[in-house]
Amino acid sequence: CVEPGNVVLVLGASGSGKTTLLRAVSGIGPLIYGAEVRGTVLVGGRDLWSLGLDGIRRSIQVVNQNPYTHFVEHVVGVDLANTAMSVHGRDAGERVFGKVVTMLGLEPLLRRRFFELSGGQLRRVAIAKAMLWDPKVLVLDEPLMWLDDDGLYEVREVLGVLRSVGKAVLV
């Protein structure tokens, strides 16, 4: 059980099922991989499958091990703004975009291209993209992989922000 404002860390050896668990609780196992999930996943007290695909996307967002998989546009601000407007419409999207950019301190990165970012900056932007959906739950698949000390610090800071705004986080 991951409560709002909590961060839960799942540890295990390589091949022990951490990513399989991620796929099961986020709904992507059956949707993308054709997997069978047994048991019930509740989000906000509701069965995950009762939410429908759009409801699942708005309730749970996954940030993959490889943050580059999240982006369509080359420029950080363009990608995030387009996503926010696609999800919420133009006016609300602009407000959500501004809120997430401010919350995660992304202003200095908005004009940069993704390939110019450090590992920590890239993870922070990938998490920001997930936050544009305003999900109840964020699932971060090995967010500290390949990061130096500065990158670890950046991700740790973002986890603190997510906790402070009441997001449930599964790492």
Side-chain angles (χ1 to χ4, degrees):
C1 182
V2 184
E3 297 290 331
N6 286 338
V7 177
V8 173
L9 176 63
V10 177
L11 298 171
S14 181
S16 65
K18 299 179 303 291
T19 298
T20 300
L21 175 66
L22 170 153
R23 290 174 180 165
V25 301
S26 67
I28 65 174
L31 294 172
I32 294 174
Y33 299 97
E36 178 184 344
V37 176
R38 295 182 187 177
T40 304
V41 176
L42 299 176
V43 179
R46 292 186 58 197
D47 184 286
L48 179 70
W49 298 107
S50 73
L51 301 173
L53 181 56
D54 190 56
I56 292 171
R57 291 173 71 192
R58 291 178 184 275
S59 297
I60 300 177
Q61 281 289 304
V62 176
V63 178
N64 298 317
Q65 290 179 21
N66 180 352
Y68 287 107
T69 63
H70 294 278
F71 307 108
V72 176
E73 303 290 339
H74 293 276
V75 177
V76 170
V78 173
D79 191 82
L80 295 178
N82 286 348
T83 298
M85 287 184 252
S86 173
V87 172
H88 301 286
R90 184 163 188 82
D91 293 338
E94 288 177 0
R95 285 191 302 276
V96 169
F97 169 76
K99 179 180 174 183
V100 169
V101 164
T102 300
M103 179 188 333
L104 297 179
L106 299 178
E107 294 89 350
L109 305 178
L110 293 179
R111 289 196 164 97
R112 295 187 56 198
R113 298 184 188 288
F114 286 103
F115 61 81
E116 298 172 333
L117 302 180
S118 71
Q121 291 169 334
L122 191 58
R123 299 293 166 114
R124 191 165 38 139
V125 173
I127 292 168
K129 187 157 184 181
M131 285 291 291
L132 293 172
W133 292 80
D134 193 24
K136 291 178 175 66
V137 180
L138 282 120
V139 180
L140 311 180
D141 191 9
E142 299 199 33
L144 305 179
M145 182 180 277
W146 306 312
L147 296 182
D148 60 12
D149 288 344
D150 290 339
L152 294 172
Y153 177 81
E154 285 193 51
V155 172
R156 188 171 159 213
E157 290 292 308
V158 168
L159 290 174
V161 170
L162 298 176
R163 288 184 67 202
S164 74
V165 296
K167 299 300 177 186
V169 182
L170 178 62
V171 180

mmCIF file of all heavy atoms in Angstrom, residues 68 74-76 108-119 121-122:
data_model
loop_
_atom_site.group_PDB
_atom_site.id
_atom_site.type_symbol
_atom_site.label_atom_id
_atom_site.label_comp_id
_atom_site.label_asym_id
_atom_site.label_seq_id
_atom_site.Cartn_x
_atom_site.Cartn_y
_atom_site.Cartn_z
ATOM 1 N N TYR A 68 14.858 8.881 -21.880
ATOM 2 C CA TYR A 68 14.705 9.354 -23.258
ATOM 3 C C TYR A 68 13.433 8.818 -23.911
ATOM 4 O O TYR A 68 12.947 9.399 -24.870
ATOM 5 C CB TYR A 68 15.920 8.973 -24.104
ATOM 6 C CG TYR A 68 17.145 9.775 -23.781
ATOM 7 C CD1 TYR A 68 18.204 9.209 -23.087
ATOM 8 C CD2 TYR A 68 17.256 11.104 -24.169
ATOM 9 C CE1 TYR A 68 19.335 9.936 -22.785
ATOM 10 C CE2 TYR A 68 18.383 11.852 -23.868
ATOM 11 C CZ TYR A 68 19.423 11.261 -23.172
ATOM 12 O OH TYR A 68 20.529 11.994 -22.870
ATOM 13 N N HIS A 74 12.507 17.711 -29.289
ATOM 14 C CA HIS A 74 13.904 17.795 -28.870
ATOM 15 C C HIS A 74 14.139 18.827 -27.776
ATOM 16 O O HIS A 74 15.067 18.700 -26.995
ATOM 17 C CB HIS A 74 14.802 18.126 -30.070
ATOM 18 C CG HIS A 74 14.845 17.040 -31.075
ATOM 19 N ND1 HIS A 74 15.679 15.962 -30.971
ATOM 20 C CD2 HIS A 74 14.128 16.839 -32.200
ATOM 21 C CE1 HIS A 74 15.501 15.155 -31.988
ATOM 22 N NE2 HIS A 74 14.547 15.659 -32.751
ATOM 23 N N VAL A 75 13.295 19.862 -27.729
ATOM 24 C CA VAL A 75 13.476 20.949 -26.770
ATOM 25 C C VAL A 75 12.567 20.705 -25.565
ATOM 26 O O VAL A 75 11.368 20.453 -25.715
ATOM 27 C CB VAL A 75 13.181 22.322 -27.426
ATOM 28 C CG1 VAL A 75 13.298 23.454 -26.416
ATOM 29 C CG2 VAL A 75 14.115 22.542 -28.610
ATOM 30 N N VAL A 76 13.155 20.787 -24.380
ATOM 31 C CA VAL A 76 12.452 20.474 -23.133
ATOM 32 C C VAL A 76 11.124 21.218 -23.008
ATOM 33 O O VAL A 76 10.074 20.609 -22.815
ATOM 34 C CB VAL A 76 13.360 20.788 -21.917
ATOM 35 C CG1 VAL A 76 12.573 20.699 -20.610
ATOM 36 C CG2 VAL A 76 14.567 19.871 -21.891
ATOM 37 N N PRO A 108 15.448 26.986 -15.959
ATOM 38 C CA PRO A 108 16.712 27.081 -16.701
ATOM 39 C C PRO A 108 16.879 26.004 -17.790
ATOM 40 O O PRO A 108 17.768 26.119 -18.630
ATOM 41 C CB PRO A 108 17.789 26.878 -15.617
ATOM 42 C CG PRO A 108 17.108 27.037 -14.319
ATOM 43 C CD PRO A 108 15.666 26.727 -14.542
ATOM 44 N N LEU A 109 16.042 25.004 -17.779
ATOM 45 C CA LEU A 109 16.195 23.896 -18.729
ATOM 46 C C LEU A 109 15.256 23.977 -19.925
ATOM 47 O O LEU A 109 15.407 23.213 -20.878
ATOM 48 C CB LEU A 109 15.950 22.560 -18.012
ATOM 49 C CG LEU A 109 16.781 22.274 -16.770
ATOM 50 C CD1 LEU A 109 16.385 20.936 -16.171
ATOM 51 C CD2 LEU A 109 18.262 22.328 -17.090
ATOM 52 N N LEU A 110 14.291 24.870 -19.912
ATOM 53 C CA LEU A 110 13.217 24.857 -20.900
ATOM 54 C C LEU A 110 13.688 25.047 -22.339
ATOM 55 O O LEU A 110 13.082 24.507 -23.263
ATOM 56 C CB LEU A 110 12.157 25.907 -20.561
ATOM 57 C CG LEU A 110 11.369 25.633 -19.284
ATOM 58 C CD1 LEU A 110 10.367 26.751 -19.039
ATOM 59 C CD2 LEU A 110 10.682 24.283 -19.332
ATOM 60 N N ARG A 111 14.751 25.791 -22.563
ATOM 61 C CA ARG A 111 15.226 26.042 -23.939
ATOM 62 C C ARG A 111 16.307 25.056 -24.371
ATOM 63 O O ARG A 111 16.804 25.129 -25.483
ATOM 64 C CB ARG A 111 15.746 27.466 -24.050
ATOM 65 C CG ARG A 111 14.627 28.482 -23.990
ATOM 66 C CD ARG A 111 15.120 29.841 -24.485
ATOM 67 N NE ARG A 111 13.986 30.681 -24.776
ATOM 68 C CZ ARG A 111 13.496 31.591 -23.935
ATOM 69 N NH1 ARG A 111 14.044 31.745 -22.750
ATOM 70 N NH2 ARG A 111 12.463 32.330 -24.283
ATOM 71 N N ARG A 112 16.644 24.145 -23.490
ATOM 72 C CA ARG A 112 17.717 23.186 -23.801
ATOM 73 C C ARG A 112 17.156 21.951 -24.491
ATOM 74 O O ARG A 112 15.981 21.612 -24.359
ATOM 75 C CB ARG A 112 18.445 22.807 -22.519
ATOM 76 C CG ARG A 112 19.149 24.044 -21.969
ATOM 77 C CD ARG A 112 20.033 23.819 -20.808
ATOM 78 N NE ARG A 112 21.048 22.832 -21.035
ATOM 79 C CZ ARG A 112 21.696 22.244 -20.045
ATOM 80 N NH1 ARG A 112 21.435 22.561 -18.796
ATOM 81 N NH2 ARG A 112 22.616 21.338 -20.298
ATOM 82 N N ARG A 113 18.008 21.288 -25.223
ATOM 83 C CA ARG A 113 17.639 20.027 -25.880
ATOM 84 C C ARG A 113 17.907 18.880 -24.902
ATOM 85 O O ARG A 113 18.798 18.975 -24.066
ATOM 86 C CB ARG A 113 18.454 19.838 -27.153
ATOM 87 C CG ARG A 113 18.191 20.928 -28.162
ATOM 88 C CD ARG A 113 18.930 20.662 -29.459
ATOM 89 N NE ARG A 113 18.850 21.767 -30.382
ATOM 90 C CZ ARG A 113 17.775 22.136 -31.067
ATOM 91 N NH1 ARG A 113 16.655 21.480 -30.922
ATOM 92 N NH2 ARG A 113 17.810 23.152 -31.892
ATOM 93 N N PHE A 114 17.146 17.813 -25.038
ATOM 94 C CA PHE A 114 17.263 16.702 -24.093
ATOM 95 C C PHE A 114 18.664 16.116 -24.050
ATOM 96 O O PHE A 114 19.153 15.771 -22.978
ATOM 97 C CB PHE A 114 16.230 15.621 -24.412
ATOM 98 C CG PHE A 114 14.858 16.036 -24.024
ATOM 99 C CD1 PHE A 114 13.958 16.466 -24.972
ATOM 100 C CD2 PHE A 114 14.479 16.042 -22.703
ATOM 101 C CE1 PHE A 114 12.689 16.892 -24.609
ATOM 102 C CE2 PHE A 114 13.221 16.470 -22.320
ATOM 103 C CZ PHE A 114 12.323 16.892 -23.278
ATOM 104 N N PHE A 115 19.315 16.026 -25.188
ATOM 105 C CA PHE A 115 20.645 15.412 -25.209
ATOM 106 C C PHE A 115 21.706 16.288 -24.543
ATOM 107 O O PHE A 115 22.829 15.841 -24.324
ATOM 108 C CB PHE A 115 21.065 15.035 -26.627
ATOM 109 C CG PHE A 115 21.156 16.180 -27.595
ATOM 110 C CD1 PHE A 115 22.266 16.998 -27.628
ATOM 111 C CD2 PHE A 115 20.109 16.438 -28.465
ATOM 112 C CE1 PHE A 115 22.344 18.054 -28.514
ATOM 113 C CE2 PHE A 115 20.179 17.487 -29.364
ATOM 114 C CZ PHE A 115 21.302 18.305 -29.381
ATOM 115 N N GLU A 116 21.364 17.536 -24.195
ATOM 116 C CA GLU A 116 22.293 18.432 -23.505
ATOM 117 C C GLU A 116 22.193 18.329 -21.983
ATOM 118 O O GLU A 116 23.005 18.918 -21.278
ATOM 119 C CB GLU A 116 22.011 19.889 -23.897
ATOM 120 C CG GLU A 116 22.194 20.192 -25.357
ATOM 121 C CD GLU A 116 21.715 21.589 -25.740
ATOM 122 O OE1 GLU A 116 20.815 22.147 -25.061
ATOM 123 O OE2 GLU A 116 22.249 22.106 -26.718
ATOM 124 N N LEU A 117 21.224 17.614 -21.485
ATOM 125 C CA LEU A 117 20.974 17.564 -20.045
ATOM 126 C C LEU A 117 21.851 16.525 -19.357
ATOM 127 O O LEU A 117 22.186 15.493 -19.936
ATOM 128 C CB LEU A 117 19.506 17.239 -19.775
ATOM 129 C CG LEU A 117 18.463 18.176 -20.361
ATOM 130 C CD1 LEU A 117 17.071 17.708 -19.984
ATOM 131 C CD2 LEU A 117 18.692 19.604 -19.909
ATOM 132 N N SER A 118 22.160 16.788 -18.097
ATOM 133 C CA SER A 118 22.832 15.785 -17.275
ATOM 134 C C SER A 118 21.826 14.693 -16.934
ATOM 135 O O SER A 118 20.610 14.854 -17.140
ATOM 136 C CB SER A 118 23.346 16.427 -15.983
ATOM 137 O OG SER A 118 22.249 16.754 -15.130
ATOM 138 N N GLY A 119 22.307 13.600 -16.384
ATOM 139 C CA GLY A 119 21.413 12.503 -16.016
ATOM 140 C C GLY A 119 20.352 12.923 -15.013
ATOM 141 O O GLY A 119 19.179 12.586 -15.150
ATOM 142 N N GLN A 121 19.221 16.006 -14.441
ATOM 143 C CA GLN A 121 18.294 16.934 -15.088
ATOM 144 C C GLN A 121 17.301 16.175 -15.961
ATOM 145 O O GLN A 121 16.108 16.471 -15.966
ATOM 146 C CB GLN A 121 19.067 17.941 -15.934
ATOM 147 C CG GLN A 121 19.875 18.919 -15.135
ATOM 148 C CD GLN A 121 20.830 19.725 -16.000
ATOM 149 O OE1 GLN A 121 21.249 19.293 -17.076
ATOM 150 N NE2 GLN A 121 21.181 20.918 -15.515
ATOM 151 N N LEU A 122 17.794 15.188 -16.681
ATOM 152 C CA LEU A 122 16.939 14.399 -17.555
ATOM 153 C C LEU A 122 15.875 13.652 -16.761
ATOM 154 O O LEU A 122 14.700 13.624 -17.140
ATOM 155 C CB LEU A 122 17.801 13.424 -18.359
ATOM 156 C CG LEU A 122 17.144 12.694 -19.507
ATOM 157 C CD1 LEU A 122 16.567 13.666 -20.520
ATOM 158 C CD2 LEU A 122 18.158 11.776 -20.175
#
